[in-house]
Short mmCIF file of all heavy atoms in Angstrom, two decimals:
data_model
loop_
_atom_site.label_atom_id
_atom_site.label_comp_id
_atom_site.label_asym_id
_atom_site.label_seq_id
_atom_site.Cartn_x
_atom_site.Cartn_y
_atom_site.Cartn_z
N ALA U 62 40.79 13.07 -31.50
CA ALA U 62 41.22 11.74 -31.90
C ALA U 62 42.72 11.47 -31.76
O ALA U 62 43.14 10.32 -31.71
CB ALA U 62 40.80 11.48 -33.35
N SER U 63 43.54 12.52 -31.67
CA SER U 63 45.00 12.32 -31.56
C SER U 63 45.64 13.65 -31.18
O SER U 63 45.00 14.71 -31.24
CB SER U 63 45.59 11.83 -32.89
OG SER U 63 45.55 12.86 -33.85
N GLY U 64 46.94 13.57 -30.88
CA GLY U 64 47.69 14.79 -30.60
C GLY U 64 47.86 15.64 -31.84
O GLY U 64 47.81 16.87 -31.79
N THR U 65 48.03 14.98 -32.97
CA THR U 65 48.15 15.72 -34.24
C THR U 65 46.87 16.51 -34.50
O THR U 65 46.90 17.71 -34.81
CB THR U 65 48.39 14.74 -35.42
OG1 THR U 65 49.50 13.90 -35.09
CG2 THR U 65 48.68 15.48 -36.71
N ASP U 66 45.73 15.83 -34.32
CA ASP U 66 44.44 16.52 -34.52
C ASP U 66 44.25 17.63 -33.50
O ASP U 66 43.67 18.68 -33.82
CB ASP U 66 43.27 15.54 -34.39
CG ASP U 66 43.03 14.78 -35.69
OD1 ASP U 66 43.80 14.97 -36.66
OD2 ASP U 66 42.06 14.00 -35.75
N LEU U 68 46.45 19.61 -32.40
CA LEU U 68 47.18 20.76 -32.94
C LEU U 68 46.44 21.39 -34.12
O LEU U 68 46.31 22.60 -34.24
CB LEU U 68 48.60 20.35 -33.35
CG LEU U 68 49.55 20.04 -32.18
CD1 LEU U 68 50.75 19.20 -32.65
CD2 LEU U 68 50.05 21.34 -31.54
N THR U 89 61.44 18.17 -32.93
CA THR U 89 60.16 17.76 -32.33
C THR U 89 59.63 16.57 -33.08
O THR U 89 60.21 16.15 -34.09
CB THR U 89 59.13 18.93 -32.36
OG1 THR U 89 57.92 18.53 -31.73
CG2 THR U 89 58.83 19.37 -33.80
N ALA U 90 58.52 16.02 -32.62
CA ALA U 90 57.83 14.98 -33.40
C ALA U 90 57.36 15.61 -34.71
O ALA U 90 56.93 16.76 -34.73
CB ALA U 90 56.63 14.46 -32.59
N VAL U 91 57.43 14.84 -35.78
CA VAL U 91 57.01 15.36 -37.09
C VAL U 91 55.59 15.91 -37.01
O VAL U 91 55.23 16.85 -37.72
CB VAL U 91 57.14 14.26 -38.18
CG1 VAL U 91 56.45 14.69 -39.46
CG2 VAL U 91 58.60 13.95 -38.45
N ALA U 92 54.78 15.32 -36.14
CA ALA U 92 53.37 15.72 -35.99
C ALA U 92 53.20 17.23 -35.79
O ALA U 92 52.24 17.82 -36.29
CB ALA U 92 52.76 14.97 -34.82
N THR U 93 54.10 17.86 -35.04
CA THR U 93 53.96 19.30 -34.77
C THR U 93 53.94 20.08 -36.07
O THR U 93 53.12 20.98 -36.28
CB THR U 93 55.15 19.80 -33.88
OG1 THR U 93 55.32 18.91 -32.77
CG2 THR U 93 54.91 21.20 -33.39
N VAL U 137 56.89 23.84 -28.05
CA VAL U 137 56.86 22.42 -27.72
C VAL U 137 57.57 22.22 -26.38
O VAL U 137 58.74 22.58 -26.23
CB VAL U 137 57.56 21.57 -28.83
CG1 VAL U 137 57.46 20.09 -28.49
CG2 VAL U 137 56.95 21.87 -30.19
N HIS U 138 56.89 21.62 -25.44
CA HIS U 138 57.49 21.32 -24.13
C HIS U 138 58.17 19.95 -24.25
O HIS U 138 57.64 18.94 -23.77
CB HIS U 138 56.40 21.32 -23.04
CG HIS U 138 55.62 22.60 -22.98
ND1 HIS U 138 56.22 23.84 -22.82
CD2 HIS U 138 54.30 22.84 -23.04
CE1 HIS U 138 55.28 24.77 -22.78
NE2 HIS U 138 54.11 24.19 -22.91
N LEU U 139 59.33 19.94 -24.87
CA LEU U 139 59.91 18.66 -25.26
C LEU U 139 60.48 17.87 -24.06
O LEU U 139 61.08 18.46 -23.17
CB LEU U 139 61.01 18.89 -26.30
CG LEU U 139 61.31 17.64 -27.16
CD1 LEU U 139 60.19 17.37 -28.15
CD2 LEU U 139 62.64 17.77 -27.89
N ASP U 163 52.36 22.84 -27.32
CA ASP U 163 52.36 21.41 -27.66
C ASP U 163 52.80 20.68 -26.38
O ASP U 163 53.99 20.62 -26.05
CB ASP U 163 53.29 21.11 -28.82
CG ASP U 163 53.27 19.64 -29.24
OD1 ASP U 163 52.83 18.79 -28.42
OD2 ASP U 163 53.68 19.33 -30.36
N CYS U 164 51.81 20.15 -25.66
CA CYS U 164 52.04 19.49 -24.36
C CYS U 164 52.04 17.98 -24.48
O CYS U 164 51.85 17.28 -23.47
CB CYS U 164 50.95 19.88 -23.37
SG CYS U 164 50.68 21.64 -23.20
N ALA U 165 52.27 17.46 -25.68
CA ALA U 165 52.16 16.02 -25.92
C ALA U 165 53.15 15.21 -25.07
O ALA U 165 52.94 14.01 -24.86
CB ALA U 165 52.36 15.71 -27.40
N GLN U 166 54.22 15.87 -24.59
CA GLN U 166 55.20 15.15 -23.78
C GLN U 166 55.26 15.72 -22.36
O GLN U 166 56.21 15.44 -21.63
CB GLN U 166 56.60 15.27 -24.43
CG GLN U 166 56.62 14.72 -25.85
CD GLN U 166 58.02 14.56 -26.43
OE1 GLN U 166 59.03 14.83 -25.75
NE2 GLN U 166 58.10 14.13 -27.68
N PHE U 186 47.30 18.22 -26.26
CA PHE U 186 47.84 16.99 -25.65
C PHE U 186 47.61 15.80 -26.57
O PHE U 186 46.62 15.74 -27.29
CB PHE U 186 47.14 16.70 -24.32
CG PHE U 186 47.49 17.68 -23.22
CD1 PHE U 186 46.80 18.89 -23.10
CD2 PHE U 186 48.52 17.40 -22.32
CE1 PHE U 186 47.12 19.79 -22.10
CE2 PHE U 186 48.84 18.30 -21.31
CZ PHE U 186 48.14 19.49 -21.20
N SER U 187 48.54 14.85 -26.49
CA SER U 187 48.38 13.54 -27.14
C SER U 187 48.26 12.50 -26.05
O SER U 187 48.91 12.60 -25.00
CB SER U 187 49.61 13.23 -27.99
OG SER U 187 49.66 11.83 -28.29
N PHE U 188 47.42 11.49 -26.27
CA PHE U 188 47.36 10.34 -25.36
C PHE U 188 47.85 9.08 -26.03
O PHE U 188 47.39 7.96 -25.73
CB PHE U 188 45.92 10.16 -24.83
CG PHE U 188 45.36 11.41 -24.19
CD1 PHE U 188 44.13 11.93 -24.59
CD2 PHE U 188 46.06 12.05 -23.18
CE1 PHE U 188 43.62 13.06 -24.00
CE2 PHE U 188 45.54 13.21 -22.59
CZ PHE U 188 44.32 13.71 -23.00
N TYR U 189 48.78 9.23 -26.96
CA TYR U 189 49.46 8.07 -27.57
C TYR U 189 49.95 7.17 -26.42
O TYR U 189 50.35 7.68 -25.37
CB TYR U 189 50.64 8.60 -28.42
CG TYR U 189 51.39 7.55 -29.16
CD1 TYR U 189 50.94 7.04 -30.37
CD2 TYR U 189 52.59 7.04 -28.64
CE1 TYR U 189 51.62 6.06 -31.05
CE2 TYR U 189 53.29 6.06 -29.31
CZ TYR U 189 52.81 5.56 -30.52
OH TYR U 189 53.49 4.59 -31.19
N LYS U 192 52.87 8.05 -23.95
CA LYS U 192 52.98 9.37 -23.32
C LYS U 192 52.74 9.27 -21.81
O LYS U 192 52.23 8.25 -21.34
CB LYS U 192 51.95 10.35 -23.93
CG LYS U 192 51.97 10.41 -25.44
CD LYS U 192 53.12 11.20 -26.03
CE LYS U 192 53.04 11.14 -27.55
NZ LYS U 192 53.92 12.02 -28.28
N ASP U 199 44.60 5.56 -29.91
CA ASP U 199 44.88 6.98 -30.16
C ASP U 199 43.93 7.85 -29.34
O ASP U 199 42.82 7.46 -29.00
CB ASP U 199 44.69 7.30 -31.65
CG ASP U 199 45.97 7.08 -32.46
OD1 ASP U 199 47.05 7.49 -31.97
OD2 ASP U 199 45.88 6.49 -33.56
N GLY U 200 44.38 9.06 -29.07
CA GLY U 200 43.55 10.04 -28.40
C GLY U 200 44.29 11.34 -28.21
O GLY U 200 45.53 11.37 -28.33
N GLY U 201 43.58 12.40 -27.94
CA GLY U 201 44.20 13.70 -27.69
C GLY U 201 43.19 14.64 -27.07
O GLY U 201 42.02 14.29 -26.90
N HIS U 289 59.14 12.80 -19.64
CA HIS U 289 58.63 11.89 -20.67
C HIS U 289 59.80 11.11 -21.24
O HIS U 289 59.70 9.90 -21.48
CB HIS U 289 57.90 12.68 -21.76
CG HIS U 289 57.48 11.83 -22.89
ND1 HIS U 289 56.61 10.78 -22.75
CD2 HIS U 289 57.83 11.82 -24.20
CE1 HIS U 289 56.43 10.16 -23.90
NE2 HIS U 289 57.17 10.78 -24.79
N TYR U 316 64.95 13.06 -31.73
CA TYR U 316 64.62 12.26 -32.93
C TYR U 316 65.86 12.18 -33.77
O TYR U 316 66.65 13.14 -33.79
CB TYR U 316 63.46 12.94 -33.67
CG TYR U 316 62.21 12.97 -32.79
CD1 TYR U 316 61.99 14.00 -31.89
CD2 TYR U 316 61.32 11.91 -32.80
CE1 TYR U 316 60.88 14.01 -31.06
CE2 TYR U 316 60.18 11.90 -31.98
CZ TYR U 316 59.99 12.95 -31.11
OH TYR U 316 58.91 12.96 -30.29
C1 LIG M 1 53.32 12.45 -29.73
C2 LIG M 1 53.48 13.86 -30.16
C3 LIG M 1 52.59 14.49 -31.03
C4 LIG M 1 51.55 13.75 -31.81
O1 LIG M 1 50.63 13.02 -31.12
P1 LIG M 1 49.78 11.84 -31.83
O2 LIG M 1 48.78 11.49 -30.81
O3 LIG M 1 50.73 10.75 -32.15
O4 LIG M 1 49.16 12.42 -33.06
C5 LIG M 1 52.76 15.85 -31.26
N1 LIG M 1 53.77 16.53 -30.70
C6 LIG M 1 54.67 15.97 -29.89
C7 LIG M 1 55.74 16.79 -29.30
C8 LIG M 1 54.57 14.59 -29.60
O5 LIG M 1 55.48 14.03 -28.80
#
Side-chain angles (χ1 to χ4, degrees):
S63 70
T65 307
D66 277 3
L68 289 161
T89 182
V91 169
T93 312
V137 183
H138 304 305
L139 202 73
D163 183 340
C164 308
Q166 303 191 3
F186 290 85
S187 163
F188 305 127
Y189 183 82
K192 309 284 178 170
D199 272 316
H289 175 60
Y316 297 88

